[in-house]
mmCIF file of all heavy atoms in Angstrom:
data_model
loop_
_atom_site.group_PDB
_atom_site.id
_atom_site.type_symbol
_atom_site.label_atom_id
_atom_site.label_comp_id
_atom_site.label_asym_id
_atom_site.label_seq_id
_atom_site.Cartn_x
_atom_site.Cartn_y
_atom_site.Cartn_z
ATOM 1 N N TYR B 108 96.926 44.417 38.790
ATOM 2 C CA TYR B 108 98.157 43.797 39.429
ATOM 3 C C TYR B 108 98.205 43.972 40.838
ATOM 4 O O TYR B 108 98.871 42.983 41.514
ATOM 5 C CB TYR B 108 99.335 44.344 38.704
ATOM 6 C CG TYR B 108 99.121 44.857 37.266
ATOM 7 C CD1 TYR B 108 99.388 46.228 36.809
ATOM 8 C CD2 TYR B 108 98.701 44.024 36.262
ATOM 9 C CE1 TYR B 108 99.122 46.621 35.494
ATOM 10 C CE2 TYR B 108 98.481 44.342 34.938
ATOM 11 C CZ TYR B 108 98.647 45.607 34.629
ATOM 12 O OH TYR B 108 98.379 46.049 33.348
ATOM 13 N N ALA B 109 97.976 45.083 41.425
ATOM 14 C CA ALA B 109 97.984 45.304 42.898
ATOM 15 C C ALA B 109 99.523 45.058 43.458
ATOM 16 O O ALA B 109 99.562 44.590 44.594
ATOM 17 C CB ALA B 109 96.965 44.430 43.551
ATOM 18 N N LEU B 110 100.428 45.497 42.624
ATOM 19 C CA LEU B 110 101.784 45.400 43.225
ATOM 20 C C LEU B 110 101.937 46.430 44.316
ATOM 21 O O LEU B 110 101.410 47.438 44.223
ATOM 22 C CB LEU B 110 102.763 45.658 42.117
ATOM 23 C CG LEU B 110 102.845 44.510 40.993
ATOM 24 C CD1 LEU B 110 103.759 44.957 39.885
ATOM 25 C CD2 LEU B 110 103.073 43.058 41.490
ATOM 26 N N PHE B 111 102.864 46.161 45.270
ATOM 27 C CA PHE B 111 103.106 47.156 46.331
ATOM 28 C C PHE B 111 104.035 48.134 45.872
ATOM 29 O O PHE B 111 105.253 47.827 45.502
ATOM 30 C CB PHE B 111 103.551 46.406 47.628
ATOM 31 C CG PHE B 111 102.767 45.321 47.996
ATOM 32 C CD1 PHE B 111 103.295 44.052 48.086
ATOM 33 C CD2 PHE B 111 101.439 45.490 48.207
ATOM 34 C CE1 PHE B 111 102.536 43.036 48.568
ATOM 35 C CE2 PHE B 111 100.474 44.400 48.618
ATOM 36 C CZ PHE B 111 101.202 43.212 48.743
ATOM 37 N N PRO B 112 103.650 49.529 45.542
ATOM 38 C CA PRO B 112 104.417 50.365 44.873
ATOM 39 C C PRO B 112 105.715 50.797 45.563
ATOM 40 O O PRO B 112 106.661 51.193 44.965
ATOM 41 C CB PRO B 112 103.519 51.564 44.722
ATOM 42 C CG PRO B 112 102.441 51.514 45.811
ATOM 43 C CD PRO B 112 102.384 49.911 46.051
ATOM 44 N N HIS B 113 105.766 50.633 46.889
ATOM 45 C CA HIS B 113 107.029 51.137 47.540
ATOM 46 C C HIS B 113 108.059 49.905 47.752
ATOM 47 O O HIS B 113 108.997 50.170 48.349
ATOM 48 C CB HIS B 113 106.667 51.598 48.998
ATOM 49 C CG HIS B 113 105.826 50.520 49.766
ATOM 50 N ND1 HIS B 113 104.416 50.257 49.511
ATOM 51 C CD2 HIS B 113 106.147 49.635 50.756
ATOM 52 C CE1 HIS B 113 104.072 49.250 50.300
ATOM 53 N NE2 HIS B 113 105.055 48.915 51.070
ATOM 54 N N MET B 114 107.664 48.780 47.186
ATOM 55 C CA MET B 114 108.704 47.585 47.222
ATOM 56 C C MET B 114 109.191 47.316 45.823
ATOM 57 O O MET B 114 108.481 47.489 44.833
ATOM 58 C CB MET B 114 107.904 46.396 47.737
ATOM 59 C CG MET B 114 107.372 46.444 49.084
ATOM 60 S SD MET B 114 106.694 44.887 49.508
ATOM 61 C CE MET B 114 105.764 45.345 51.037
ATOM 62 N N ARG B 115 110.384 46.986 45.726
ATOM 63 C CA ARG B 115 111.037 46.573 44.520
ATOM 64 C C ARG B 115 110.372 45.276 44.057
ATOM 65 O O ARG B 115 109.637 44.642 44.794
ATOM 66 C CB ARG B 115 112.506 46.473 44.606
ATOM 67 C CG ARG B 115 113.308 47.600 44.966
ATOM 68 C CD ARG B 115 114.840 47.310 44.825
ATOM 69 N NE ARG B 115 115.124 46.108 45.541
ATOM 70 C CZ ARG B 115 115.646 45.991 46.819
ATOM 71 N NH1 ARG B 115 115.877 47.109 47.438
ATOM 72 N NH2 ARG B 115 116.053 44.822 47.399
ATOM 73 N N VAL B 116 110.690 44.935 42.765
ATOM 74 C CA VAL B 116 110.137 43.688 42.237
ATOM 75 C C VAL B 116 110.443 42.523 43.113
ATOM 76 O O VAL B 116 109.537 41.684 43.469
ATOM 77 C CB VAL B 116 110.578 43.460 40.743
ATOM 78 C CG1 VAL B 116 110.311 42.031 40.308
ATOM 79 C CG2 VAL B 116 109.859 44.535 39.755
ATOM 80 N N ASP B 117 111.737 42.380 43.500
ATOM 81 C CA ASP B 117 112.036 41.115 44.206
ATOM 82 C C ASP B 117 111.364 41.218 45.591
ATOM 83 O O ASP B 117 110.968 40.135 46.244
ATOM 84 C CB ASP B 117 113.494 41.084 44.535
ATOM 85 C CG ASP B 117 114.203 42.312 44.965
ATOM 86 O OD1 ASP B 117 113.528 43.363 44.989
ATOM 87 O OD2 ASP B 117 115.443 42.249 45.362
ATOM 88 N N GLN B 118 111.180 42.373 46.202
ATOM 89 C CA GLN B 118 110.508 42.548 47.519
ATOM 90 C C GLN B 118 109.059 42.046 47.303
ATOM 91 O O GLN B 118 108.483 41.575 48.268
ATOM 92 C CB GLN B 118 110.692 43.902 48.077
ATOM 93 C CG GLN B 118 112.152 44.226 48.451
ATOM 94 C CD GLN B 118 112.328 45.722 48.746
ATOM 95 O OE1 GLN B 118 111.628 46.584 48.121
ATOM 96 N NE2 GLN B 118 113.180 46.008 49.718
ATOM 97 N N ASN B 119 108.483 42.569 46.294
ATOM 98 C CA ASN B 119 107.015 42.156 46.015
ATOM 99 C C ASN B 119 106.946 40.641 45.938
ATOM 100 O O ASN B 119 106.082 40.127 46.526
ATOM 101 C CB ASN B 119 106.593 42.847 44.692
ATOM 102 C CG ASN B 119 105.826 44.047 44.789
ATOM 103 O OD1 ASN B 119 104.628 44.047 45.238
ATOM 104 N ND2 ASN B 119 106.502 45.148 44.602
ATOM 105 N N VAL B 120 107.756 40.030 45.172
ATOM 106 C CA VAL B 120 107.753 38.497 45.040
ATOM 107 C C VAL B 120 108.063 37.815 46.407
ATOM 108 O O VAL B 120 107.452 36.824 46.601
ATOM 109 C CB VAL B 120 108.770 38.077 43.875
ATOM 110 C CG1 VAL B 120 108.667 36.554 43.798
ATOM 111 C CG2 VAL B 120 108.349 38.764 42.621
ATOM 112 N N ALA B 121 108.919 38.477 47.201
ATOM 113 C CA ALA B 121 109.271 37.877 48.505
ATOM 114 C C ALA B 121 108.119 38.065 49.486
ATOM 115 O O ALA B 121 108.098 37.367 50.565
ATOM 116 C CB ALA B 121 110.550 38.383 48.878
ATOM 117 N N PHE B 122 107.180 38.895 49.312
ATOM 118 C CA PHE B 122 106.212 39.337 50.427
ATOM 119 C C PHE B 122 105.723 38.242 50.913
ATOM 120 O O PHE B 122 105.496 38.099 52.173
ATOM 121 C CB PHE B 122 105.230 40.391 49.703
ATOM 122 C CG PHE B 122 104.188 40.743 50.717
ATOM 123 C CD1 PHE B 122 104.455 41.929 51.476
ATOM 124 C CD2 PHE B 122 103.085 40.140 50.990
ATOM 125 C CE1 PHE B 122 103.650 42.379 52.433
ATOM 126 C CE2 PHE B 122 102.129 40.507 51.933
ATOM 127 C CZ PHE B 122 102.360 41.677 52.700
ATOM 128 N N GLY B 123 104.977 37.258 50.158
ATOM 129 C CA GLY B 123 104.240 36.165 50.601
ATOM 130 C C GLY B 123 105.036 35.205 51.546
ATOM 131 O O GLY B 123 104.698 34.663 52.568
ATOM 132 N N LEU B 124 106.363 34.994 51.072
ATOM 133 C CA LEU B 124 107.147 34.153 51.776
ATOM 134 C C LEU B 124 107.670 34.766 53.075
ATOM 135 O O LEU B 124 107.682 34.123 54.076
ATOM 136 C CB LEU B 124 108.553 33.818 50.929
ATOM 137 C CG LEU B 124 108.160 32.926 49.617
ATOM 138 C CD1 LEU B 124 109.360 33.013 48.762
ATOM 139 C CD2 LEU B 124 107.840 31.587 50.091
#
Side-chain angles (χ1 to χ4, degrees):
Chain B
Y108 328 124
L110 296 178
F111 309 125
H113 55 283
M114 294 183 197
R115 294 189 312 264
V116 164
D117 56 346
Q118 292 168 326
N119 264 281
V120 177
F122 181 88
L124 293 166

